[in-house]
Amino acid sequence: MSADATRRVEVYPGREVVVEFDPDLTFECVEDCTWCCQHGVLLYDQDLLELAQRANLAETTTAFRGEKFVTREEKDRDDHVAEDGCACAFLREDGLCSLHLEEDWKPTRCSVFPLGVWLEDGDLHVDIRDSAHDHCEGLNVSDRSVIDNLEAFLPELLWELENPDSDREL
């Protein structure tokens, strides 16, 4: 989308985003992709509190540059792992997330994917992450419009964060 074609969308009452992606974009996770689960998952403070109710933080998180991330661990398999053989500590052998399936919860960063979010001039902006264009198999494969389902991708917590920038990685 060009800079003059951006649009504001209210996601929650009084909370809007500046959308910088094609409004016709669709997204749906596809079976066996797990690309987004092979990288570090940034945990915001609220995510840490939620995760502490579901898992041992000492075993499942790591600090990097002063921020907490879900631990990437070596997996004893060839599927659903990055080139280094590692993936998210919660990614099961079948390529599904134990937090999502067994706890009915996702860290904010997982909900946001494939979107990238950042603050600019006091506004929350959203676009498709550059890496998603290259690796995510779920873009434009379904009828699920991203712009019509922004509340599913953007937890309300994002508007409360000093730095919601999703481009930080482990």
Side-chain angles (χ1 to χ4, degrees), residues 26-30 136-144 146 153:
T26 66
F27 174 79
E28 194 74 49
C29 284
V30 296
C136 181
E137 298 175 21
L139 296 173
N140 293 315
V141 298
S142 73
D143 294 330
R144 182 182 181 219
V146 173
F153 293 95

Side-chain angles (χ1 to χ4, degrees), residues 7-24:
R7 65 190 269 194
R8 292 181 175 276
V9 175
E10 187 174 70
V11 181
Y12 301 100
R15 299 195 184 226
E16 61 183 24
V17 294
V18 177
V19 174
E20 299 198 15
F21 57 85
D22 179 348
D24 294 328

Side-chain angles (χ1 to χ4, degrees), residues 67-85:
E67 297 183 297
K68 287 287 193 176
F69 288 82
V70 171
T71 302
R72 290 180 74 245
E73 63 183 21
E74 190 168 338
K75 305 286 186 174
D76 188 24
R77 60 181 185 250
D78 295 328
D79 294 329
H80 312 298
V81 295
E83 288 181 11
D84 64 0

Side-chain angles (χ1 to χ4, degrees), residues 39-139:
H39 309 282
V41 174
L42 175 67
L43 295 166
Y44 301 111
D45 289 344
Q46 184 63 39
D47 292 323
L48 280 169
L49 294 173
E50 293 282 339
L51 184 58
Q53 296 175 31
R54 295 164 172 85
N56 181 325
L57 294 182
E59 295 174 2
T60 58
T61 65
T62 187
F64 180 69
R65 295 185 179 161
E67 297 183 297
K68 287 287 193 176
F69 288 82
V70 171
T71 302
R72 290 180 74 245
E73 63 183 21
E74 190 168 338
K75 305 286 186 174
D76 188 24
R77 60 181 185 250
D78 295 328
D79 294 329
H80 312 298
V81 295
E83 288 181 11
D84 64 0
C86 296
C88 175
F90 297 104
L91 186 64
R92 301 181 334 183
E93 190 170 330
D94 61 4
L96 300 175
C97 174
S98 63
L99 286 174
H100 189 207
L101 288 174
E102 299 163 20
E103 301 289 336
D104 194 28
W105 178 77
K106 291 183 191 180
T108 302
R109 184 80 175 262
C110 298
S111 294
V112 169
F113 196 85
L115 300 177
V117 299
W118 69 97
L119 276 178
E120 185 177 311
D121 299 326
D123 292 321
L124 190 64
H125 288 248
V126 295
D127 199 354
I128 302 303
R129 295 173 61 89
D130 289 339
S131 57
H133 285 293
D134 297 333
H135 302 283
C136 181
E137 298 175 21
L139 296 173

